Amino acid sequence: MAEQAFTPLSNTETAAFCSQMAMILHSGISTLEGVSLMLEDTKDQEEIKFLTCIEETLQSTGNFQEALASTGAFPAYMLHMVQIGEYSGKLDEVMEALSVHYEREAGIAQAIKNAVTYPLIMVFMMLLVILVLVTKVMPIFNQVFRQLGSEMTGLSKAILDFGTAINRYSVVLIVLVALLAVLILYFGKTKSGREKLSSFTSRLGWTKAFTEKLAACRFASGMSLTLSSGMNPEECLNLASKLTNNEEFTKKLDTCREAVNNGEDLSHSLLEAGIFSGIYARMVSIGSKTGSLDEIMHEIADKYQDEIDQRFTNMISILEPTLVIVLSVIVGMILLSVMLPLMGIMSGL
């Protein structure tokens, strides 16, 4: 059956679907019966079409992975893991693990969104206030100076000239703002844009450590899922490496994969490649010795998630007062550059 053009599911929606299917499969209900039950419970027309597509493909092929792929709405990584789950007879465990994985991905995405949105709003408000001051308020003060038989000088004159230039070339300013909006949408809403932005930020000194931590979190989450599915180390690494697009981290994974392919132990290869360090490296070593590496990977992913959330919280707590202070200083300088000379003139009358 040909793929349908459904809107790709978000991480939250994917996690909810996986959670429902895991619950159904744990209850001993087949995938076809489970999809039919979900179809009976929904009243949303788009969701009915979506589940009907899955049900029809499942009836004709008997393959759950093909049924999900027919919608074109699920991520490739999930489809591959579902295929592995069907072959290994652990589809219920795989769906439950996928639910946890995509909930974590949703948490990471929300943390990034929260960290970026507020500063952008603050910057926009700052620029708007400053724009009104230099284009609307400063000309009024200039008229007052002229009525008093004086002219603006120094900083106030430079600010006035800047506002005049903005008024004169307002069309150019509007075009630049429109281009900026397009760039924000491109880097924020499109897959290729997000990949390019991620590649760029991974090279910056002040974001490099964070992007590597983010890549490690996703890698650990993927390794936990693949290891718990009974896959061999080579397959685990190949699948989990697809979850990150950080160049530096990818190089480390390539080194690790090469070592594993040459017969090295997985935990030793992870440590030698520098993928994990400090307490995480020790956790991996202990997990490998005790045969609970999948559980340790899950714990590492949780700890990385906590660190990422904490870093975002700290970033926002610093940015908020900083932006307010910057705005206050700029507005204060603009007003003082006008008010002090004006008070001098008034006192001399």
Side-chain angles (χ1 to χ4, degrees):
M1 183 176 286
E3 238 184 49
Q4 300 293 309
F6 289 102
T7 304
L9 298 181
S10 66
N11 287 324
T12 302
E13 291 169 332
T14 304
F17 179 85
C18 292
S19 179
Q20 281 183 289
M21 286 306 304
M23 184 174 62
I24 287 167
L25 294 170
H26 277 311
S27 302
I29 301 172
S30 69
T31 52
L32 180 58
E33 289 176 315
V35 173
S36 299
L37 286 172
M38 292 169 68
L39 195 53
E40 290 174 7
D41 289 339
T42 185
K43 291 183 172 30
D44 183 86
Q45 290 301 312
E46 190 63 27
E47 195 172 341
I48 288 172
K49 292 178 184 177
F50 179 75
L51 292 173
T52 299
C53 175
I54 296 176
E55 184 182 45
E56 289 175 352
T57 309
L58 195 53
Q59 285 174 338
S60 61
T61 65
N63 188 296
F64 190 51
Q65 185 267 342
E66 287 184 29
L68 298 182
S70 68
T71 65
F74 292 97
Y77 177 76
M78 175 185 167
L79 296 176
H80 199 104
M81 291 307 301
V82 168
Q83 186 179 40
I84 292 168
E86 286 188 291
Y87 288 156
S88 64
K90 296 183 177 181
L91 185 57
D92 55 342
E93 295 177 19
V94 167
M95 294 305 292
E96 187 173 0
L98 282 169
S99 172
V100 173
H101 170 74
Y102 283 106
E103 281 176 4
R104 182 177 289 115
E105 286 291 293
I108 292 172
Q110 187 60 45
I112 294 173
K113 184 178 179 181
N114 291 340
V116 172
T117 301
Y118 181 77
L120 283 178
I121 292 173
M122 286 294 294
V123 169
F124 174 76
M125 293 303 296
M126 285 172 57
L127 293 175
L128 186 62
V129 169
I130 293 167
L131 193 63
V132 170
L133 279 174
V134 300
T135 59
K136 300 299 179 184
V137 177
M138 292 300 286
I140 295 174
F141 277 111
N142 188 46
Q143 290 177 7
V144 173
F145 271 87
R146 287 181 176 177
Q147 289 172 359
L148 294 173
S150 182
E151 291 286 339
M152 284 186 172
T153 58
L155 179 60
S156 58
K157 182 67 166 63
I159 294 171
L160 177 65
D161 292 341
F162 177 65
T164 303
I166 291 176
N167 282 324
R168 187 177 300 162
Y169 301 106
S170 57
V171 175
V172 177
L173 180 64
I174 292 171
V175 171
L176 289 174
V177 170
L179 286 173
L180 180 62
V182 170
L183 285 174
I184 290 172
L185 288 173
Y186 172 71
F187 287 115
K189 298 295 184 181
T190 65
K191 183 179 179 181
S192 60
R194 286 193 295 269
E195 288 177 351
K196 289 177 182 177
L197 181 62
S198 176
S199 177
F200 174 72
T201 54
S202 65
R203 296 189 184 96
L204 298 176
W206 60 282
T207 58
K208 185 177 179 181
F210 166 74
T211 55
E212 286 191 2
K213 200 177 290 287
L214 186 62
C217 177
R218 286 174 171 162
F219 171 74
S221 178
M223 285 296 291
S224 171
L225 177 55
T226 50
L227 286 167
S228 65
S229 300
M231 299 170 62
N232 62 48
E234 292 86 351
E235 291 176 316
C236 292
L237 285 170
N238 287 332
L239 271 176
S241 62
K242 295 177 183 178
L243 295 172
T244 72
N245 52 8
N246 182 285
E247 291 182 10
E248 289 297 321
F249 197 80
T250 300
K251 290 177 183 177
K252 294 179 181 179
L253 287 176
D254 290 339
T255 302
C256 181
R257 271 205 304 266
E258 186 177 348
V260 170
N261 290 334
N262 290 333
E264 291 284 343
D265 178 68
L266 174 61
S267 62
H268 182 263
S269 301
L270 289 170
L271 303 183
E272 286 296 311
I275 292 173
F276 297 119
S277 59
I279 187 173
Y280 299 123
R282 185 166 179 79
M283 288 171 69
V284 169
S285 178
I286 293 170
S288 177
K289 292 175 182 176
T290 59
S292 58
L293 191 55
D294 56 334
E295 296 175 11
I296 291 296
M297 285 292 181
H298 180 78
E299 189 175 343
I300 289 174
D302 284 342
K303 288 185 179 296
Y304 271 125
Q305 177 72 63
D306 291 340
E307 286 187 26
I308 290 167
D309 290 342
Q310 186 60 47
R311 176 163 292 197
F312 277 130
T313 301
N314 293 340
M315 187 189 302
I316 293 171
S317 66
I318 293 171
L319 274 175
E320 183 176 350
T322 301
L323 291 174
V324 171
I325 291 169
V326 170
L327 175 60
S328 301
V329 169
I330 292 174
V331 173
M333 286 178 61
I334 293 172
L335 293 178
L336 285 174
S337 71
V338 176
M339 295 304 296
L340 290 178
L342 185 58
M343 289 171 66
I345 295 171
M346 295 293 290
S347 63
L349 294 177

